Amino acid sequence: MFPLYDTIPRRHAPVMTLALIGVNVAVFLFELTLPSETLEGLFHLFGVVPARYTHPEWAVMAGLPLDDYWPFATSQFLHGGWSHLLSNMWMLWIFGDNVEDRMGSFLFLVFYLACGIAAGLLHWVANPDSTLPVVGASGAIAGVM
């Protein structure tokens, strides 16, 4: 079942939820301006590539910086296509506003980012040899849900 809306009223405006949606959409619109080779490089640099951490010799050959853990946060703002972006942002809109309402904007942001980082770490542990970048907010949104 694909939810279309929720019926839980909120007490406060979902400022952080809207901000996260805005940042994700802005980054995706930037992605659309890039040639495919550059976009692939962006995904490898800012997406979670497990082999980058498990096999440092491969990372050096691929031209990826070592000891760079920012991709666990930055990967949450990259998306692989319109349907990927729209489905993630729709779920964030449906579920995020109520969680933000209960937690407050700042704690919601911390929780959202922590869920996304945890998802990236779990992916790394489950697929240590993967050389494919993982991008998207799905892990963070799953945590919010």
Side-chain angles (χ1 to χ4, degrees):
M1 175 182 271
F2 188 79
L4 299 177
Y5 56 88
D6 67 351
T7 58
I8 302 169
R10 59 180 177 259
R11 295 170 291 161
H12 304 84
V15 176
M16 191 57 67
T17 301
L18 289 170
L20 286 167
I21 291 170
V23 169
N24 276 281
V25 168
V27 170
F28 183 71
L29 293 175
F30 171 71
E31 288 176 31
L32 293 177
T33 68
L34 301 175
S36 60
E37 304 83 31
T38 306
L39 182 59
E40 185 178 332
L42 181 83
F43 281 175
H44 275 87
L45 189 61
F46 293 105
V48 174
V49 182
R52 174 185 200 168
Y53 307 104
T54 311
H55 304 289
E57 65 284 351
W58 175 85
V60 169
M61 282 184 5
L64 297 173
L66 298 177
D67 299 328
D68 180 14
Y69 298 97
W70 280 106
F72 289 100
T74 58
S75 65
Q76 300 176 54
F77 298 97
L78 299 170
H79 288 84
W82 280 105
S83 62
H84 188 204
L85 174 75
L86 293 175
S87 61
N88 274 332
M89 295 306 101
W90 186 253
M91 292 299 110
L92 179 58
W93 174 248
I94 289 176
F95 295 102
D97 63 334
N98 299 119
V99 177
E100 179 182 352
D101 204 38
R102 293 286 287 193
M103 297 180 87
S105 295
F106 179 74
L107 282 178
F108 174 71
L109 175 63
V110 170
F111 178 68
Y112 176 89
L113 293 172
C115 288
I117 290 168
L121 290 170
L122 182 60
H123 178 71
W124 173 26
V125 169
N127 304 286
D129 299 324
S130 176
T131 59
L132 298 174
V134 172
V135 297
S138 300
I141 294 165
V144 168
M145 290 170 58

